[in-house]
Amino acid sequence: MNRILAILLLGILGINTSKAQTTPFTLGETHQLSSAVLNETRTLNVYLPDGYAQAVNARYPVVYLLDGSANEDFIHIAGVMQFLTMIQHMPPTILVGIANKDRKHDFTFPTTVKKDKADYPTTGGSEKFIRFLDTELKPYVQQHFRTNDTTTLVGQSLGGLLATEILLKHPAMFYNYIIVSPSLWWDQESLLKQAGKLLATAGSAQANVFLTVGKEGKMMEEPARQLGDVLKANPGIRVHYVPLPDETHLTILHNGAYKAFQLLNGAK
């Protein structure tokens, strides 16, 4: 009797007691790329913009996201890109998230600091990881998706250190660089100290750079400012240095990426 009364009450209140039909919500694609350079298989998470399948003659910019695992930054960066595309602050763009296996190894060059070696014993693999990005990942993406020549690399913290290393040593690898809270303290700031010389060695470097840091202490903030000054001194590097003092190291990437995509795509 109580069950009948409950059903009658739900009907009076207009509540539908039938079961809802469910279907999977698909955000993107997952690819497995076998790397000869790294001697391992790497997971790629790919977000394709709305209309990609229908616009068979269109070619798209590509954003390469370090820390691109599903449980890292892939989902929220895809959301930022989808929203900015919807409001026409950036063009439809492919996102390729590179899932991590050992970011401390992949994103750092060898250090001479004993404490760093003790705290991060697997570090020092950035040279090989950069070669993977250049000779395997980018060609794979170009082969499997309709891309154009506009490429963007996004990295935060140790990922920002790697993005800075690529910018200084191989600036032509990417058209745009979004460098968020780079860990330039690594190896007693040796990369920062060599920045001017490295850019000079790279020749007529051309790149667009968005650089930001939050309220993160002198060890993070001062090197980021100095990097901005070095980059601005190079006529081929177009720099947006945008500190975000209301953000912390934990919160800065989302807002930083939002502003970066707008500035690098000419939105006001």
Side-chain angles (χ1 to χ4, degrees), residues 44-261:
L44 309 177
N45 296 308
V46 181
Y47 165 78
L48 299 175
D50 291 344
Y52 177 89
Q54 293 75 32
V56 293
N57 294 318
R59 306 192 77 81
Y60 295 84
V62 182
V63 170
Y64 292 88
L65 175 65
L66 303 172
D67 294 317
S69 299
N71 63 347
E72 293 175 312
D73 298 322
F74 177 75
I75 293 174
H76 76 93
I77 295 298
V80 168
M81 291 172 56
Q82 186 274 340
F83 179 74
L84 291 176
T85 301
M86 183 175 66
I87 64 173
Q88 300 182 352
H89 281 200
M90 71 181 293
T93 301
I94 298 167
L95 173 64
V96 177
I98 308 154
N100 283 319
K101 287 200 169 181
D102 182 353
R103 68 192 300 274
K104 293 174 182 176
H105 174 267
D106 292 337
F107 296 170
T108 59
F109 50 87
T111 179
T112 59
V113 179
K114 290 182 179 179
K115 187 176 187 307
D116 290 347
K117 292 179 181 179
D119 292 343
Y120 308 99
T122 65
T123 54
S126 66
E127 181 180 1
K128 186 176 288 189
F129 190 74
I130 291 169
R131 186 150 39 95
F132 158 72
L133 295 178
D134 193 35
T135 65
E136 295 183 324
L137 176 59
K138 288 177 64 182
Y140 178 88
V141 171
Q142 292 162 2
Q143 180 182 355
H144 287 80
F145 302 97
R146 300 192 307 276
T147 67
N148 61 27
D149 294 331
T150 301
T151 57
T152 301
L153 180 66
V154 181
Q156 183 202 9
S157 193
L158 287 179
L161 176 70
L162 180 76
T164 303
E165 183 180 1
I166 295 173
L167 171 63
L168 297 177
K169 295 180 179 179
H170 313 283
M173 267 186 65
F174 296 94
Y175 185 79
N176 299 318
Y177 291 82
I178 298 176
I179 301 174
V180 180
S181 302
S183 297
L184 296 171
W185 53 266
W186 181 254
D187 190 36
Q188 297 182 325
E189 300 182 3
S190 65
L191 185 65
L192 178 61
K193 293 171 183 176
Q194 301 174 61
K197 181 179 179 181
L198 288 170
L199 280 176
T201 303
S204 54
Q206 300 285 324
N208 304 296
V209 179
F210 177 92
L211 171 64
T212 188
V213 67
K215 188 175 180 60
E216 304 178 54
K218 185 176 180 180
M219 184 176 73
M220 296 292 292
E221 295 170 34
E222 184 60 20
R225 184 194 63 77
Q226 292 177 20
L227 176 62
D229 291 342
V230 172
L231 296 176
K232 289 175 183 177
N234 190 297
I237 307 291
R238 292 165 293 281
V239 184
H240 300 280
Y241 174 53
V242 185
L244 296 174
D246 291 334
E247 305 291 346
T248 69
H249 194 72
L250 294 176
T251 67
I252 191 170
L253 179 59
H254 193 86
N255 195 17
Y258 189 100
K259 294 181 183 301
F261 288 136

